[in-house]
Amino acid sequence: MTAVTHEPHVPTQTHAEVTRDVVATLGTPSRGYYLALFTAIGMFLIGLGTFVMLLKEGLGLAGYSPPGFWLVYITTFVFWVGIGHAGTLISAILFLFRSPWRTAVYRSTEAMTVFAVMTAALFPIIHIGRQWIFYWLLPYPNQRFLWPNFKSPLIWDVFAISTYFTVSTTFLVVGLIPDIAAVRDKVTGWRKKLYGLCSLGWTGSDNQWRHYSRGYLYLAALATPLVLSVHSVVSWDFAMSIVPGWHGTIFAPYFVAGAIYSGIGMVLTLLIPLRKVLHLEHMITEYHFDNLAKLTLFTGSILAYAYIMEYFVAWYSGSVFEQTTFFRRAFGPMWWAGWSMIICNAFVSQLLWFKKVRTNLTALFVISIFVNIGMWFERFVIIASSLANDYLPYAWGQATPTWADWGILIGSFGWFGMYFLLFARTFPVVAIQEIKEMIPMPRRKGA
């Protein structure tokens, strides 16, 4: 259907048409969907097989050797925690600011947040080695009278992930209730019973809407500080140490900006093909992508500034250890990773100054891929290069990732993609009720 719009972000549709079009996305999947789903499952099975080998043979398969004991697994953990931040930004912060363009895209970003945090939660368990006693990380009364070491970054990560996952999941589920009820009224058979159970008795009464609106507002206010706090905690995993290249006060805001940047990049990567496959072009328009691209440009510019400040502070500090670490990031054995990070994050995003690029979906999709690659390399450079260049040159050593590292990395993308694809065919990926709120009220001719 071709939409004629009064405003760039308000398609002229009736309430019934909105419900009809979103319910249509939950119909019989296409071959392309099954191909994507089976690809994701295959990637996950690669990761699962690699994990089984790690259980059998130990973490030595992952190329762990002094001084590089934090490599691909912790890099990927930080990457996936960062991916989830765009969902909270778009769904909670922009809701509090009453931004109208978020309505068509925030549901898929909320789902992305939950699945990204689920993916990140796997990596502390994979990284610890003896995975079968991972529950020792949890602070609970036990017969051994032992408590976790609260000075350990692993414990900080447990608290950060559990808090983020709980709030994000609650936010997603509560927002879904009215839309699930709308789908319930349009389907039949076992699906009607399933959606009826998931809608928790929603009837759309005035009393329910008043309580829902107030509760959703409180959840948004509760989720907003998480954008700043969660990735700040993750940055302290590094900044609280004295390792050259890590011990910096810029790490918390630097990590938060990078998290939002990488998260929006993943939103674009997922939303551009999803919009085409589910035929939602009249709901998710160029207006929405233009605003997402502006956010990408803004956070990418903050990252470019942070990179400049990192090198400036290393030079200005007069510390030979800091200066050597940053010099080797640019011109040492891992120069390729350092320059990949800078080019993908600081330079490629600057193309978004041009509106023709921001509204060209092919260009946006390509840029989003570069953003994802660049942000993974950023975390890899921070971890691997700093550990490789400690205070004593005789202890220097280069990271050598192995097939086990790449197998787990591939599996993480398969795990994330599998859940996201299953969600997209089970629940509405566009917020039905909020789209309806954006539709102009009908008027009589001449009014």
Side-chain angles (χ1 to χ4, degrees), residues 94-110:
L94 296 185
F95 172 78
L96 295 178
F97 282 97
R98 296 296 188 264
S99 179
W101 64 268
R102 62 175 282 281
T103 55
V105 300
Y106 85 88
R107 174 63 49 70
S108 55
T109 64
E110 281 183 352

Side-chain angles (χ1 to χ4, degrees), residues 356-367:
K356 286 186 177 180
V357 177
R358 296 198 305 268
T359 54
N360 185 311
L361 297 189
T362 303
L364 269 185
F365 184 76
V366 172
I367 289 173

Side-chain angles (χ1 to χ4, degrees), residues 23 52 111 148 219 384 399 429 447:
V23 170
V52 171
L219 279 173
V429 293

Side-chain angles (χ1 to χ4, degrees), residues 249-264:
T249 55
I250 198 176
F251 258 50
Y254 170 32
F255 268 52
V256 170
I260 297 172
Y261 181 69
S262 63
I264 297 172

Side-chain angles (χ1 to χ4, degrees), residues 345-381:
N345 296 336
F347 291 109
V348 171
S349 62
Q350 299 306 307
L351 295 172
L352 298 173
W353 282 104
F354 304 101
K355 187 171 183 178
K356 286 186 177 180
V357 177
R358 296 198 305 268
T359 54
N360 185 311
L361 297 189
T362 303
L364 269 185
F365 184 76
V366 172
I367 289 173
S368 72
I369 297 296
F370 275 102
V371 168
N372 294 326
I373 294 172
M375 288 309 300
W376 190 90
F377 270 115
E378 179 196 289
R379 282 61 180 258
F380 182 75
V381 167

Side-chain angles (χ1 to χ4, degrees), residues 1 3-7 9-22 100 103 282-283 430-443:
M1 183 178 71
V4 180
T5 59
H6 296 301
E7 298 179 45
H9 56 287
V10 184
T12 303
Q13 291 178 289
T14 65
H15 287 196
E17 287 174 337
V18 172
T19 305
R20 178 201 65 194
D21 293 345
V22 176
T103 55
H282 57 295
M283 291 187 184
V430 174
I432 298 174
Q433 301 303 328
E434 294 207 29
I435 287 287
K436 289 179 179 179
E437 291 177 5
M438 300 303 298
I439 297 175
M441 294 294 293
R443 299 178 180 178

